[in-house]
């Protein structure tokens, strides 16, 4: 199925763009959570079992918090850099 965007009015194009942006945001969030889970599980759980120990739970919580803090810093810095680049041109 192909979509001829020339036949769409501005409102329809805007709706499609919003839908695509939402899908990309969801995909990015899922990827972030997957990476966070993989990284923190590998760092905190030496021998997987049927449940997590208290220390493993604390480690995963701490690891997740650090990962999210770092992700926010990188995202904010990247967004600021893009804005600066846009103002230059």
């Amino acid at each position: 199925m192909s979509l001829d965007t020339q036949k769409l009015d501005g409102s329809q194009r805007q709706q499609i763009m919003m839908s695509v942006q939402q899908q990309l945001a969801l995909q990015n969030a899922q990827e972030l959570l997957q990476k966070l889970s993989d990284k923190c599980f590998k760092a905190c759980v030496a021998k997987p079992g049927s449940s997590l120990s208290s220390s493993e739970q604390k480690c995963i919580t701490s690891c997740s918090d650090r990962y999210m803090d770092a992700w926010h810093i990188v995202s904010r810095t990247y967004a600021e850099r893009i804005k600066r680049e846009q103002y230059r041109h």
Side-chain angles (χ1 to χ4, degrees), residues 10 17-18 20 23 35 37 40 44 61 63-64 73 78 80-81 84-85 87-88:
M17 288 300 295
M18 286 176 56
V20 169
Q23 290 172 10
K35 286 180 180 180
S37 297
C40 293
C44 297
T61 298
C63 177
S64 298
I73 290 168
Y78 183 68
E80 290 170 0
R81 182 176 178 185
R84 282 195 308 267
E85 291 296 321
Y87 289 128
R88 288 184 182 174

Side-chain angles (χ1 to χ4, degrees), residues 19-54:
S19 177
V20 169
Q21 288 172 343
Q22 289 172 347
Q23 290 172 10
L24 287 172
L26 178 60
Q27 181 180 356
N28 286 338
Q30 289 171 335
E31 185 177 330
L32 172 65
L33 288 173
Q34 183 63 47
K35 286 180 180 180
L36 181 148
S37 297
D38 289 345
K39 177 182 173 29
C40 293
F41 187 84
K42 287 177 185 174
C44 297
V45 181
K47 294 181 181 178
S50 61
S51 64
L52 296 173
S53 70
S54 176

